[in-house]
C-alpha cells in the first residue's frame, strides 16, 4: 500500500510565489493548497468507494420514445456500452420553458458528451415530447445530446424526478448492464442534506458554472441563478 506524503509537505514544496506576492498571501495560499490536496484525495476515496458499490435493484420495464418515434426500453439506451448515465430534466408538458438550472447543466455537456460517449452511454430524459425537447435544444445551439420522452410517469415517479404534487426534480442516474440484466448503480441522495445557507448540490458538483464561480472571491453567492435569456 502506497504511503502518501502529508499534504502540508507537498504544499510547502509546490508553493511558488507569483510576482509581488506578499508573505501573508503566500502563507495563506500554501495553507489553502494543503487543503486542496486533501480535498483531491478525499474525492478519490469517495470515487473508489462508489465504484465498489454492489449492484442496485433491477428497474421495471420502463418505456421511452426516441426522436424517430420508436418506443424503446431502458436496456436499449446502452447501445454498445455496459454503463448508461441518464439525466431527467425538468421540462414536463406543463412547463412553458425548461428549468434554467437543468439547462445550464445540459448546455455544459453538449460538446463533451461526444467524449463521454466513447466510454459510457448518455441519455437525456424528459416528460415532454422529444420534438419539443429537441426544438429547445436547437434554440440553444445544442447538437449532440440524445433526448428521449418518458412514456408515462412511472419512471419519473420511481426515480425521484416527479413529486406526488406534480412538481419536477432533476434526476441523475447511473445504470449498469451485467449478464443481460440492467441494474441501478448510483444516484445522488444529497437533496435533503444541504447545510444551512446552501442550495442542494452534488458532491462533487458536476456543473462547471458553479465550479468556476467557487474559484472567485464572491463564490456562487445566494442571490443569482442562471436564466434562459439574458
Amino acid at each position: 500500500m502506497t504511503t502518501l506524503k502529508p499534504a502540508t509537505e507537498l504544499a510547502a514544496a509546490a508553493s511558488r510565489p507569483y510576482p509581488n506576492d506578499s508573505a501573508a498571501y503566500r502563507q495563506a495560499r500554501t495553507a489553502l493548497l494543503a487543503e486542496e490536496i486533501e480535498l483531491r484525495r478525499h474525492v478519490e476515496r469517495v470515487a473508489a468507494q462508489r465504484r465498489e458499490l454492489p449492484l442496485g435493484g433491477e428497474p421495471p420495464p420502463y418505456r421511452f420514445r426516441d426522436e424517430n418515434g420508436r418506443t424503446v426500453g431502458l436496456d436499449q439506451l446502452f447501445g454498445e456500452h455496459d454503463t448508461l448515465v441518464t439525466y431527467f430534466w425538468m421540462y414536463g408538458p406543463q412547463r412553458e420553458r425548461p428549468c434554467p438550472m437543468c439547462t445550464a447543466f445540459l448546455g455544459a455537456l453538449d460538446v463533451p458528451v461526444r467524449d463521454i460517449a466513447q466510454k459510457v452511454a448518455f441519455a437525456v430524459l424528459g416528460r415532454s415530447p422529444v420534438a419539443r425537447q429537441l426544438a429547445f435544444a436547437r434554440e440553444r445551439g445544442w447538437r449532440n445530446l440524445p433526448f428521449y420522452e418518458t412514456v408515462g410517469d412511472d419512471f419519473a415517479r420511481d426515480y425521484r424526478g416527479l413529486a406526488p404534487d406534480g412538481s419536477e426534480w432533476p434526476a441523475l442516474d447511473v445504470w449498469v448492464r451485467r449478464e443481460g440484466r440492467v441494474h441501478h448503480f448510483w444516484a445522488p441522495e444529497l437533496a435533503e442534506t444541504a447545510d444551512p445557507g446552501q442550495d442542494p448540490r452534488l458532491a462533487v458538483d458536476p456543473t462547471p458554472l458553479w465550479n468556476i464561480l467557487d474559484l472567485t472571491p464572491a463564490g456562487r453567492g445566494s442571490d443569482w441563478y442562471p436564466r434562459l435569456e439574458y
Side-chain angles (χ1 to χ4, degrees), residues 119-133:
K119 296 281 290 181
V120 301
F122 189 92
V124 183
L125 313 175
R127 294 172 61 237
S128 282
V130 180
R132 187 170 189 245
Q133 297 183 61

Side-chain angles (χ1 to χ4, degrees), residues 192-203:
E192 298 178 5
T193 68
D195 292 324
Q198 286 186 346
D199 287 321
R201 64 185 70 169
L202 276 64

Side-chain angles (χ1 to χ4, degrees), residues 31-220:
L32 174 60
L33 179 56
E35 291 295 326
E36 290 170 337
I37 293 168
E38 292 286 11
L39 174 61
R40 183 184 64 202
R41 289 175 172 177
H42 193 87
V43 169
E44 288 297 319
R45 291 196 298 272
V46 170
Q49 185 175 352
R50 184 184 297 116
R51 290 192 294 270
E52 294 301 317
L53 284 171
L55 294 176
E58 294 185 53
Y62 303 115
R63 308 300 287 173
F64 307 90
R65 191 166 291 113
D66 68 15
E67 62 181 274
N68 298 311
R70 294 176 301 185
T71 301
V72 297
L74 189 63
D75 61 321
Q76 292 171 276
L77 305 186
F78 281 76
E80 62 184 15
H81 297 294
D82 60 8
T83 301
L84 165 69
V85 179
T86 61
Y87 184 74
F88 175 86
W89 67 322
M90 299 164 62
Y91 193 18
Q94 82 283 6
R95 297 182 68 101
E96 182 177 346
R97 303 283 278 168
C99 165
M101 297 282 273
C102 291
T103 299
F105 175 66
L106 290 176
L109 289 178
D110 184 62
V111 172
V113 76
R114 297 181 66 187
D115 298 310
I116 293 169
Q118 305 307 306
K119 296 281 290 181
V120 301
F122 189 92
V124 183
L125 313 175
R127 294 172 61 237
S128 282
V130 180
R132 187 170 189 245
Q133 297 183 61
L134 282 173
F136 180 80
R138 301 301 177 252
E139 175 187 326
R140 299 291 290 193
W142 302 345
R143 291 291 180 270
N144 302 304
L145 290 167
F147 291 86
Y148 297 85
E149 174 190 354
T150 57
V151 177
D153 286 334
D154 288 349
F155 174 87
R157 277 194 294 262
D158 292 347
Y159 285 92
R160 308 182 188 184
L162 186 63
D165 65 0
S167 301
E168 290 183 317
W169 297 96
L172 180 66
D173 291 275
V174 180
W175 314 83
V176 294
R177 184 165 53 189
R178 299 288 186 269
E179 299 179 352
R181 294 176 177 270
V182 173
H183 295 264
H184 191 240
F185 178 73
W186 177 88
E189 299 185 17
L190 290 160
E192 298 178 5
T193 68
D195 292 324
Q198 286 186 346
D199 287 321
R201 64 185 70 169
L202 276 64
V204 175
D205 196 323
T207 309
L209 165 67
W210 303 121
N211 288 321
I212 293 296
L213 292 179
D214 281 343
L215 300 177
T216 67
R220 61 180 70 191

